[in-house]
Amino acid sequence: MDYLPIIRKIATEAVENDIGGIIPSAIGKYSQVLQLIDICEQEMDRGPATAAYFSELDDFRVKYSKRMHILKDVLDEQREAPLNLKLTFPVHFEPYEEPPPSNDMESFNVKDSKLCFWFLRLFIDTFRTPGAYVTPQLFISQEVWLQKKCRVSCMGERIQILTSLRSSMDQVMPAVFDYAEFPSKHSMSVLQSFKEIMREVHTEFSKILSFVKAPVDVERGRWGWFKRTVGTISQMGKKSVENDELFLQYTAVYTSIVSLFIQFETKVDSLPEDIRDAVTSFLNECFIPIIHSDLGVVVQKYLENVKNSVRRVANKKLKF
């Protein structure tokens, strides 16, 4: 039996799944290709008449065996990551969730907390599911966060600041729920302290990141962080690093902060107005612009990797 057409077909499907970020399926199909190659070698004898046949099989074995082991390493790193990410199959992509109603998105008032929390929920789905739509047209695969060599500016400083914020949030969350159930002087004092901590974090980020502006005393009614962060990717080359371990640590700490803010939303309407304003101002003017910029970086890197993969295949003129 001639297995080569079957091997070519399965290999084509494996490459498509690989480029599409469906790693477990790609690994399974690469494994099928290698098993069929083993069967061919058992059933056919090598010789001058089959030299070209086995030459193609040998090329498949070397290339796909190496790629399968790389993908297995990616899955192992994913399972060991702090977020304990897991791909679930069959894959179900969350539909795009419409934003809360607003007559004028650009004049969205900072006091209205709904829009910033809506974005955080969409964002966290890009980590904890195989992927999610953050706009009706833009789908972010979970795989973009598992890439290597992502360039993000001031990585060490970001981790230090966010780790401090995470510690503060761990302390303040009980006070949030206590105040919502039974307001007290102690819980109010903790909330006021947290307001000052968010302001300090905002100031520190404004020092190291040019697209995060320092907080001011006057109240701002514009929710224009989308415009403010456009083009920031080009500004991030001078103080960038490519450290896979640091990047995983960085994304883990700020996604854990996102999770805490999403919990915060469940009680935000019960909190004093100045606390609500402080939280939404911090999200809209500091934290979400950082997320938005990082999304731009990882998506750009992902697209570059896909283009390079397609280019390598085209250059080799592989026939499946």
Side-chain angles (χ1 to χ4, degrees):
M1 179 178 177
D2 186 4
Y3 289 98
L4 191 55
I6 300 175
I7 292 174
R8 287 171 176 165
K9 181 177 182 298
I10 297 175
T12 302
E13 296 172 352
V15 171
E16 290 174 351
N17 289 336
D18 193 347
I19 293 176
I22 311 175
I23 293 182
S25 180
I27 291 175
K29 291 186 182 297
Y30 285 144
S31 178
Q32 291 178 31
V33 169
L34 298 176
Q35 290 173 8
L36 288 174
I37 292 174
D38 289 338
I39 293 174
C40 286
E41 291 185 337
Q42 293 172 7
E43 294 183 359
M44 299 178 63
D45 295 326
R46 287 181 180 265
T50 58
Y53 189 96
F54 279 103
S55 176
E56 186 171 359
L57 292 182
D58 289 339
D59 288 341
F60 282 166
R61 179 190 295 278
V62 172
K63 181 175 63 175
Y64 294 134
S65 176
K66 180 179 179 180
R67 184 58 184 167
M68 183 177 71
H69 284 96
I70 291 174
L71 294 182
K72 285 183 176 179
D73 289 341
V74 171
L75 280 185
D76 289 339
E77 291 174 2
Q78 174 185 314
R79 294 189 183 101
E80 294 171 2
L83 286 178
N84 192 27
L85 302 176
K86 291 183 179 179
L87 288 173
T88 56
F89 289 87
V91 176
H92 173 67
F93 297 135
E94 293 295 328
Y96 176 71
E97 178 188 349
E98 289 294 330
S102 175
N103 295 329
D104 181 5
M105 184 71 75
E106 283 303 313
S107 62
F108 195 88
N109 196 294
V110 75
K111 290 185 178 181
D112 193 334
S113 63
K114 300 302 180 184
L115 194 55
C116 57
F117 288 113
W118 159 80
F119 177 80
L120 292 182
R121 290 195 302 273
L122 292 184
F123 166 75
I124 203 66
D125 283 342
T126 67
F127 271 88
R128 295 184 173 176
T129 71
Y133 286 92
V134 296
T135 75
Q137 291 80 32
L138 180 58
F139 176 81
I140 304 295
S141 170
Q142 184 190 58
E143 296 303 317
V144 303
W145 300 108
L146 301 177
Q147 299 175 98
K148 297 181 180 294
K149 306 301 182 186
C150 286
R151 295 181 63 85
V152 177
S153 65
C154 308
M155 185 83 73
E157 293 89 338
R158 291 187 188 213
I159 292 174
Q160 290 179 1
I161 297 171
L162 291 180
T163 300
S164 175
L165 177 62
R166 171 59 198 265
S167 299
S168 300
M169 292 194 71
D170 286 337
Q171 297 174 14
V172 80
M173 289 307 294
V176 170
F177 286 89
D178 288 346
Y179 188 92
E181 299 297 330
F182 182 75
S184 66
K185 290 183 178 180
H186 172 71
S187 57
M188 186 62 190
S189 175
V190 174
L191 291 174
Q192 291 295 336
S193 298
F194 183 59
K195 183 172 70 171
E196 295 304 318
I197 290 171
M198 286 188 292
R199 187 177 182 83
E200 292 174 6
V201 169
H202 191 167
T203 301
E204 290 301 312
F205 269 116
S206 70
K207 293 178 182 178
I208 63 172
L209 302 177
S210 60
F211 58 89
V212 175
K213 298 180 180 179
V216 295
D217 292 330
V218 296
E219 183 179 355
R220 282 170 281 185
R222 293 277 177 181
W223 201 73
W225 58 268
F226 280 107
K227 285 188 174 181
R228 292 200 300 273
T229 56
V230 171
T232 56
I233 296 174
S234 61
Q235 304 171 11
M236 301 184 69
K238 293 182 179 179
K239 302 174 73 174
S240 299
V241 294
E242 293 182 354
N243 186 306
D244 299 330
E245 183 178 348
L246 273 182
F247 184 71
L248 285 175
Q249 182 182 350
Y250 168 63
T251 54
V253 69
Y254 86 58
T255 49
S256 67
I257 291 173
V258 170
S259 299
L260 289 174
F261 272 121
I262 291 175
Q263 296 178 37
F264 199 98
E265 181 191 15
T266 62
K267 301 296 182 181
V268 71
D269 291 335
S270 304
L271 301 179
E273 184 177 1
D274 63 326
I275 302 298
R276 295 200 305 268
D277 291 350
V279 170
T280 52
S281 295
F282 174 75
L283 291 176
N284 290 333
E285 298 170 13
C286 178
F287 196 65
I288 290 179
I290 292 170
I291 293 175
H292 185 240
S293 178
D294 290 347
L295 273 175
V297 171
V298 296
V299 169
Q300 185 182 56
K301 178 70 173 178
Y302 186 73
L303 292 177
E304 289 175 357
N305 289 339
V306 171
K307 289 179 182 178
N308 291 336
S309 299
V310 173
R311 190 179 297 112
R312 284 194 294 270
V313 173
N315 290 340
K316 291 182 179 180
K317 299 181 180 179
L318 296 178
K319 296 180 180 180
F320 297 106

